[in-house]
Amino acid sequence: MSKVKQVGLLAAGCQPWNKDVCVASGDRFAYCATLAIYVYQLDHRYNEFKLHAIMSEHKKTITAISWCPHSPDTFASASADNLVIIWNVAEQKVVARLDNTKGIPASLSWCWNAGEAVAFVSHRGPLYIWTISGLDSGVAVHKEAHSFLSDICLLRWHPRQKGKVVFGHTDGSLSIFQPGTKNQKHVLRPESLEGTDEEDPITALEWDPLSSDYLLVANLHNGIRLVDSQSLSCITTFCLPSAAASVQCLAWVPSAPGMFLTGDSQVGVLRIWNVSRTTPIDNFKLKKTGFHALHVLSSSPKQSCYSAHSPSRSQHTSSTSEAIPPPTLSQNQAFSLPPGHAVCCFMDGGVGLYDMGAKKWTFLRDLGHVETIFDCKFKPDDPNLLATASFDGTIKVWDVNTLTAVYTSPGNEGVIYSLSWAPGDLNCIAGATSRNGAFIWDVVKGKTIARFNEHGKNGIFCIAWSHKDSKRIATCSGDGFCIIRTIDGKVLHKYKHPAAVFGCDWSQNNKDMIATGCEDKNVRVYYLATSSDQPLKVFTGHTAKVFHVRWSPLREGILCSGSDDSTVRIWDYTQDACINILSGHKAPVRGLLWNPEVPYLLISGSWDYTIRVWDTRDGTCLDTAYDHGADVYGKAMPAVHNPRHRINAAPHTRAPSRLHLLSVRSLHVPPVT
């Protein structure tokens, strides 16, 4: 029986860069962070949505996802490494791959009524159709959908008309293709743009599910239009409350014919509309940050009844080329709010499920990292607060009991590789960035109070606040220097290395001793009480670069190092020797963590997706945890006693931006002799 088990998972947020990163099907919805897809499903026993699957195979940013309309367990995703993957959601495994898409897919869609076929398109085309199985398997080019004059934002296949597809472009135009008719390119720009070179990107595009011809279109600046794709005419122009309002996303409500939702791009306002009137029925401000994506889950049969005040849709299902205007209602005619849930994704990475009938969140993950988490640290005086540093340029502080973010740094820092809490109750965090030097963030005040630029534009890979002296901070960088400074910016020492320095750690038993890990495969120990810039000790033995080093908090003079040679070495400073080599990982070792209560216990994390627990006295691997499922980068454990003994592992750039909480409470360790 495994001695280490996962007790919690903090899922990533939804990425804000690509358009088609959220989808819904039946009682499931999915969204993607940078490198992983998260699938939630309704648990009918408890009537709540639970995380059903995490799928991570892409090595570069996922650009689009699409659910198969014929199979609830089949899913497609595309990424910036020119890759399209077909997934089996139930088994969480890849069933087909297309490795060379001849361009980065900007939009992806299953071909409705076309069997097992997926279409994808790069920004200027052409449209490719991949037939996944059968006699016709292979990739074909749509014979007419190519040579577009403006970049493609979105593509949408008609859900009932075989072969009918529309493209939305960055210049605000549409391109419509339908077999057997004259195809149209670059048509139906907003009237205000006609005859100009101005661009007004299509932000949202959805076929009316009850019409063969009608199409709902949103432009960033010119709002929402209902258009007829046959007559190429605008049927209705919808009016937003102010000129400052703009629409980022929209979705039809399956349970309420003629009704649709929009999400604003600047603030988190959800608007409910009906095609029979040009102004919103209702508005809900759900968040301060703007929407990014929006979908509506299909309602259950018990929820599908709709208000008798709704207009009839019999006139709104025309399949002829004549545009029949939808019926109009007086402004005081009543509407009921539609039943069902709206899946809402926001520009800050937040993801939530909003119950429209009850006007409340079913759940809301208000904030989440949308990129790789590089480091994590518990607050020294509070085991309930955990800070994480991410590729997305932010540090977030989480309450690990509720798995919610309680503080977020100002951001715009590029990549944040490392963080370090100030000792004690100072409520400050130091961060190390890829291009903006190092900074100190006052967590409570929510602002940056100091910045250090001694490394210039070189990336800082590690930052460490002294455990014993709150005035000293160390940083190590790609420029080969480990720099010790005071918090007011006075440089105390500059230790030059022959190559990039990736890790540093202060001794918890000697306030003047610090160790570093270098690209030259060596571990060095420096003593700050002397004026010399030379190391007191240089430990050699690793056969690849050393990434992290960690001093034991309980055994004076003992430190460990993790390397790209897939081993962990235990060093004794007093003996000037390596006293053990921990072998077992199959890939570079990144995360290192000494147990703060059991002197000989060490936990390591690797790019082989595993977390291992070691008895460092004899090198025995006591247990291996596979829960993480991705490259492990950082690890942390509370400095004070916590009965759950949480371990946190954060992944490397090739892994999803999620955080795992593990427990080693039941781990049996041989008695210390």
Side-chain angles (χ1 to χ4, degrees), residues 209-266:
L210 296 181
S211 167
S212 60
D213 302 323
Y214 290 173
L215 182 67
L216 200 57
V217 183
N219 293 75
L220 183 61
H221 304 298
N222 279 275
I224 317 160
R225 294 169 293 149
L226 182 67
V227 302
D228 188 317
S229 63
Q230 286 286 78
S231 64
L232 300 181
S233 60
C234 178
I235 302 168
T236 307
T237 299
F238 298 92
C239 302
L240 290 164
S242 72
S246 58
V247 172
Q248 173 68 17
C249 48
L250 59 84
W252 291 99
V253 181
S255 61
M259 193 162 280
F260 63 94
L261 313 178
T262 61
D264 279 21
S265 57
Q266 299 300 315

Side-chain angles (χ1 to χ4, degrees), residues 168-417:
H169 298 277
T170 55
D171 68 354
S173 67
L174 302 173
S175 296
I176 301 166
F177 297 88
Q178 182 172 358
T181 64
K182 182 182 178 181
N183 294 309
Q184 305 285 343
K185 285 188 180 183
H186 312 295
V187 296
L188 291 175
R189 295 182 81 204
E191 290 183 8
S192 61
L193 298 179
E194 291 300 333
T196 73
D197 293 329
E198 293 182 36
E199 293 198 341
D200 186 12
I202 300 286
T203 56
L205 191 64
E206 298 294 343
W207 290 106
D208 184 335
L210 296 181
S211 167
S212 60
D213 302 323
Y214 290 173
L215 182 67
L216 200 57
V217 183
N219 293 75
L220 183 61
H221 304 298
N222 279 275
I224 317 160
R225 294 169 293 149
L226 182 67
V227 302
D228 188 317
S229 63
Q230 286 286 78
S231 64
L232 300 181
S233 60
C234 178
I235 302 168
T236 307
T237 299
F238 298 92
C239 302
L240 290 164
S242 72
S246 58
V247 172
Q248 173 68 17
C249 48
L250 59 84
W252 291 99
V253 181
S255 61
M259 193 162 280
F260 63 94
L261 313 178
T262 61
D264 279 21
S265 57
Q266 299 300 315
V267 291
V269 176
L270 179 71
R271 304 188 196 277
I272 300 179
W273 307 74
N274 192 283
V275 293
S276 63
R277 56 185 281 183
T278 60
T279 56
I281 297 168
D282 216 334
N283 308 277
F284 302 104
K285 187 171 182 180
L286 303 184
K287 271 175 70 78
K288 293 181 180 179
T289 52
F291 271 83
H292 180 58
L294 182 65
H295 275 277
V296 178
L297 289 173
S298 300
S299 300
S300 65
K302 289 187 294 184
Q303 296 176 310
S304 62
C305 58
Y306 183 55
S307 169
H309 298 292
S310 303
S312 168
R313 290 276 279 163
S314 59
Q315 289 179 288
H316 193 57
T317 57
S318 169
S319 60
T320 70
S321 60
E322 295 182 17
I324 300 176
T328 57
L329 294 181
S330 62
Q331 293 298 311
N332 59 1
Q333 190 162 350
F335 283 92
S336 293
L337 291 178
H341 288 88
V343 183
C344 305
C345 300
F346 298 92
M347 292 300 291
D348 63 0
V351 178
L353 199 61
Y354 189 72
D355 187 327
M356 293 179 287
K359 299 184 183 181
K360 66 179 183 179
W361 290 109
T362 298
F363 83 82
L364 174 64
R365 185 172 297 285
D366 198 27
L367 292 168
H369 285 299
V370 297
E371 276 276 16
T372 299
I373 300 170
F374 281 106
D375 199 8
C376 54
K377 296 286 192 309
F378 279 97
K379 194 173 189 297
D381 64 335
D382 189 345
N384 296 309
L385 293 181
L386 177 75
T388 53
S390 171
F391 194 104
D392 65 14
T394 65
I395 295 174
K396 297 184 189 296
V397 178
W398 306 87
D399 182 328
V400 297
N401 297 303
T402 61
L403 297 182
T404 57
V406 290
Y407 302 103
T408 299
S409 68
N412 299 318
E413 295 289 355
V415 179
I416 302 181
Y417 287 120

